């Protein structure tokens, strides 16, 4: 990210009472059934508009069962309430990014949170590494796998809507995702108390946000948040609260979707405030293409009057570099702006 947006945190928070300035809430029952159907068209149009205007929206009737959601919350809480030494038995390493971590960096600043990441089963296609399931009850892994699979189904439906919204056949992107996607789930725990305590290393001492502002790297994110709040999206000079809604999931587009759509869809900048009174939990599913996918602006969004704005991005390299940057400070993070073709 260039220096232009380094001051974003200085912008004000919008007045949440103004309905026109709220992240759209969309009933997607028809999309989950069949995104290419006539019934789904209204929701597809709303999704496309939300992707253009906000890069963020909330969905209702998304098909992920509330019982599975409740089980996922209770296993998440059970994991994070264990003693640190126990959680650190599943500590991630540079070679294997799956497992527990409490010193995540966004834009090389430390976030005030703990995470547990897991992905598909078997060695993943980028790191050739296996999930590190903690030695708790076997229900933890069973529940987490079921939740991951439910999010994958929803992600595929949303991709169909995104494609339909760009006048492409709904299944246009399916082959880049369906079997060998590199998506993963992150369990986020934002404690009121700083997990690292005071640090003497200067840039590591800063933990004034739950997550510093960023865009998600992949195609789209499906986020489950609890009722605490604190997630904010940046739009038109203001930070907008993404208010928790019961039974809703929050969807946002990532960097690769912005490239595919040739900037029609925005990868929205978002952040999470530091918790001051209550601990917060959230669970994003980052839906990412297969390791062999190369990302270019799609045919329907490239024309003589709007040529491709990006060079080809090999997803595998992009993702690998972003993960390294999250783990430790290896210099500036990779951003899609580095692939931008200068306007002639
Ligand atoms: C993330 C993220 C938002 C949240 O993990 O990338 O933006 O509400 N999380 O926790
Ligand atoms: Ni994010």
């Amino acid at each position: 990210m260039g220096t232009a947006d380094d001051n974003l945190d200085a912008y004000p928070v919008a007045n949440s009472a103004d309905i026109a300035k709220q992240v759209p809430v969309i009933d997607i029952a028809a999309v989950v059934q069949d995104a290419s159907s006539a019934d789904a068209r209204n929701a597809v149009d709303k999704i496309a508009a939300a992707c253009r205007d906000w890069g963020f929206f909330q969905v209702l009737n998304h098909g992920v069962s509330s019982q599975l959601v409740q089980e996922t919350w209770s296993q998440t809480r059970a994991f994070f309430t264990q003693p640190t030494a126990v959680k650190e038995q599943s500590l991630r390493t540079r070679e294997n990014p799956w497992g527990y971590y409490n010193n995540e960096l966004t834009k090389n600043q430390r976030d005030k949170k703990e995470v547990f990441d897991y992905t598909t089963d078997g060695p993943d296609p980028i790191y050739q590494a296996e999930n590190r399931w903690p030695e708790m009850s076997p229900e933890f892994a069973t529940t987490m796998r079921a939740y991951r699979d439910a999010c994958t189904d929803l992600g595929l439906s949303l991709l169909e809507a995104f494609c339909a919204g760009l006048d492409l056949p709904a299944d246009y992107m399916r082959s880049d995702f369906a079997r060998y996607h590199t998506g993963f789930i992150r369990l986020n725990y934002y404690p009121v108390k700083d997990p690292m305590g005071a640090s003497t290393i200067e840039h590591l001492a800063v933990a004034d946000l739950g997550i510093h502002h960023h865009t998600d790297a992949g195609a789209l994110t499906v986020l489950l948040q609890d009722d605490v709040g604190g997630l904010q999206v940046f739009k038109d000079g203001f930070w907008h609260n993404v208010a928790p809604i019961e039974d809703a999931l929050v969807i946002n587009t990532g960097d690769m979707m912005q490239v595919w759509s040739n900037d029609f869809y925005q990868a929205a900048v978002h952040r999470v405030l530091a918790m001051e009174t209550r601990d917060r939990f959230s669970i994003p599913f980052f839906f990412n293409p297969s390791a062999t996918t190369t990302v270019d602006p799609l045919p329907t969004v490239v024309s003589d009057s709007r040529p491709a704005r990006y060079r080809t991005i090999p997803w595998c390299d992009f993702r690998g570099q972003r993960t390294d940057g999250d783990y430790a400070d290896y210099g500036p993070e990779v951003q899609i702006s580095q692939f931008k073709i200068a306007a002639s």
Side-chain angles (χ1 to χ4, degrees):
M1 191 75 52
T3 45
D5 74 350
D6 284 352
N7 256 332
L8 278 189
D9 290 321
Y11 283 86
V13 176
N15 178 356
S16 308
D18 186 345
I19 190 105
K21 296 203 180 121
Q22 288 174 18
V23 170
V25 180
I26 307 174
D27 182 330
I28 59 162
V31 169
V32 170
Q33 290 243 308
D34 178 3
S36 59
S37 68
D39 282 353
R41 192 67 229 182
N42 185 25
V44 165
D45 290 344
K46 285 186 183 156
I47 290 172
C51 292
R52 282 195 304 269
D53 298 344
W54 287 88
F56 254 81
F57 53 101
Q58 304 212 46
V59 294
L60 297 169
N61 296 316
H62 43 67
V64 180
S65 92
S66 54
Q67 193 195 340
L68 180 54
V69 166
Q70 289 321 318
E71 283 166 17
T72 306
W73 280 133
S74 82
Q75 292 298 329
T76 299
R77 291 200 171 86
F79 174 76
F80 285 114
T81 50
Q82 299 178 110
T84 305
V86 176
K87 291 185 273 193
E88 286 183 344
Q89 286 167 7
S90 358
L91 201 62
R92 84 181 240 198
T93 55
R94 185 167 186 192
E95 293 70 38
N96 178 349
W98 311 118
Y100 172 73
Y101 204 49
N102 57 13
N103 199 3
E104 166 104 348
L105 302 177
T106 302
K107 296 193 195 308
N108 299 324
Q109 289 195 297
R110 189 162 61 80
D111 297 320
K112 188 177 169 184
K113 65 168 185 175
E114 299 177 35
V115 307
F116 179 90
D117 288 351
Y118 68 98
T119 185
T120 46
D121 295 317
D124 77 86
I126 297 186
Y127 305 94
Q128 310 298 332
E130 301 261 0
N131 288 319
R132 284 193 177 93
W133 295 117
E135 287 179 25
M136 341 170 17
S137 76
E139 273 95 81
F140 180 83
T142 311
T143 304
M144 292 306 162
R145 286 190 171 109
Y147 184 68
R148 173 198 66 200
D149 294 346
C151 285
T152 308
D153 289 345
L154 173 58
L156 288 169
S157 296
L158 289 167
L159 273 183
E160 292 188 351
F162 288 1
C163 287
L166 294 173
D167 298 324
L168 288 159
D171 63 356
Y172 193 83
M173 287 186 159
R174 202 179 166 84
S175 60
D176 284 337
F177 287 82
R179 278 188 69 197
Y180 301 112
H181 73 82
T182 59
F184 69 102
I185 299 243
R186 167 163 293 173
L187 311 179
N188 276 317
Y189 170 43
Y190 301 93
V192 172
K193 194 165 154 283
D194 186 339
M196 296 300 285
S199 169
T200 50
I201 306 169
E202 199 191 334
H203 78 267
L204 291 185
V206 189
D208 54 351
L209 284 169
I211 309 188
H212 287 80
H213 66 75
H214 66 283
T215 56
D216 295 345
L220 66 92
T221 304
V222 174
L223 177 94
L224 176 62
Q225 64 168 337
D226 67 12
D227 64 351
V228 172
L231 172 61
Q232 298 182 328
V233 54
F234 187 76
K235 175 171 156 41
D236 299 338
F238 288 92
W239 288 100
H240 299 264
N241 290 311
V242 183
I245 299 177
E246 208 175 339
D247 296 329
L249 290 166
V250 178
I251 312 298
N252 67 272
T253 45
D255 291 337
M256 295 307 107
M257 191 56 73
Q258 180 166 340
V259 172
W260 267 313
S261 72
N262 209 19
D263 286 341
F264 276 109
Y265 293 164
Q266 297 299 314
V269 176
H270 55 285
R271 69 178 183 186
V272 176
L273 302 178
M275 296 302 114
E276 278 166 10
T277 52
R278 283 172 67 197
D279 291 357
R280 175 175 185 264
F281 295 89
S282 75
I283 309 182
F285 168 60
F286 301 104
F287 199 24
N288 297 332
S290 70
T292 53
T293 299
T294 52
V295 180
D296 289 290
L298 296 166
T300 49
V301 286
V302 173
S303 62
D304 287 347
S305 60
R306 192 183 175 106
R309 295 184 175 183
Y310 297 90
R311 288 181 279 119
T312 304
I313 302 183
W315 165 246
C316 193
D317 297 353
F318 191 87
R319 160 89 174 115
Q321 286 177 41
R322 189 67 76 82
T323 318
D324 289 347
D326 283 352
Y327 183 65
D329 188 349
Y330 296 115
E333 268 190 7
V334 62
Q335 303 293 341
I336 57 173
S337 53
Q338 292 159 17
F339 294 84
K340 200 122 196 176
I341 297 172
S344 49

